[in-house]
Amino acid sequence: MLKAVIFDMDGLLIDSEVISYKCYKKLIESYGYSFTMDDYVKDYPGKQLKVSLQFIKEHYHLDYDIEEKFQLFHRLETQFMQEDGVALKKGAKELLQYLKDHHYQIALATSSLPSRACHILDMHHILSYFDEIICGSDVQRGKPYPDIFLKACERLNVLPSEAIVLEDSEAGIQAAYDAKVPVYCIPDLKQPGEDYVQKTQGVLASLLDVITILENM
């Protein structure tokens, strides 16, 4: 019996991946390297920021302080969000209200910082829908490791088989699959590769499609 729905945030619940790309682009191009959307889509969605900053440092053979660039990234992100805003994905509020009306537990499992996640959810007046918020700082290993989804099930007091995960990234799909939580993918910037599609319960066009699936369960 399904008892809980676990949401990713960036690229799934909010339309923020383009902003993240612009932040990484500004950082990497400041060192004289080009950085395209294809580069971003290949290696970055779904990963913890500090993991990605370490990857950049090693990949481009740069000498910088991770914590310093971590703070820079968040300053850039705040600037871009103030300039461009960050929208909810299609069907987000409708799905959250449906889940609340039908007494499902709702959790957020995001690689983001707690302060950032809560600020964005509160900005869109949806923070109160979530029974639990699990962030990258709550687990030792971020996605694609299963830790964050196992922690979400533990916090919600449900078995992995009693929950579903909604994800947009391959890293998130892998994490849910290894946690043995059934996962549906709603792609954002990148369609998942066929090997990742095989690990999902299905690839959906929008969050509204989740309501249809739940009604037919």
Side-chain angles (χ1 to χ4, degrees), residues 81-118:
M81 283 187 177
Q82 287 174 344
E83 291 173 358
D84 304 328
V86 57
L88 285 177
K89 287 288 200 145
K90 178 184 176 181
K93 280 192 174 179
E94 292 90 337
L95 175 55
L96 289 167
Q97 188 61 53
Y98 176 90
L99 296 174
K100 189 62 70 176
D101 290 345
H102 289 78
H103 310 294
Y104 290 100
Q105 293 190 78
I106 307 171
L108 188 76
T110 174
S111 301
S112 178
L113 290 171
S115 57
R116 174 180 177 270
C118 290

Side-chain angles (χ1 to χ4, degrees), residues 171-202:
I173 291 170
Q174 187 65 54
Y177 180 80
D178 288 342
K180 295 183 170 53
V181 184
V183 56
Y184 289 89
C185 179
I186 300 95
D188 183 34
L189 298 177
K190 178 185 179 182
Q191 292 291 324
E194 186 57 32
D195 50 339
Y196 288 97
V197 170
Q198 294 301 317
K199 295 174 180 178
T200 74
Q201 302 299 304

Side-chain angles (χ1 to χ4, degrees), residues 37 152 158:
M37 179 61 82
V158 299

Side-chain angles (χ1 to χ4, degrees), residues 149-162:
F149 293 127
L150 293 172
K151 177 68 72 173
C153 290
E154 178 187 320
R155 292 260 193 95
L156 294 169
N157 195 29
V158 299
L159 298 172
S161 60
E162 295 174 325

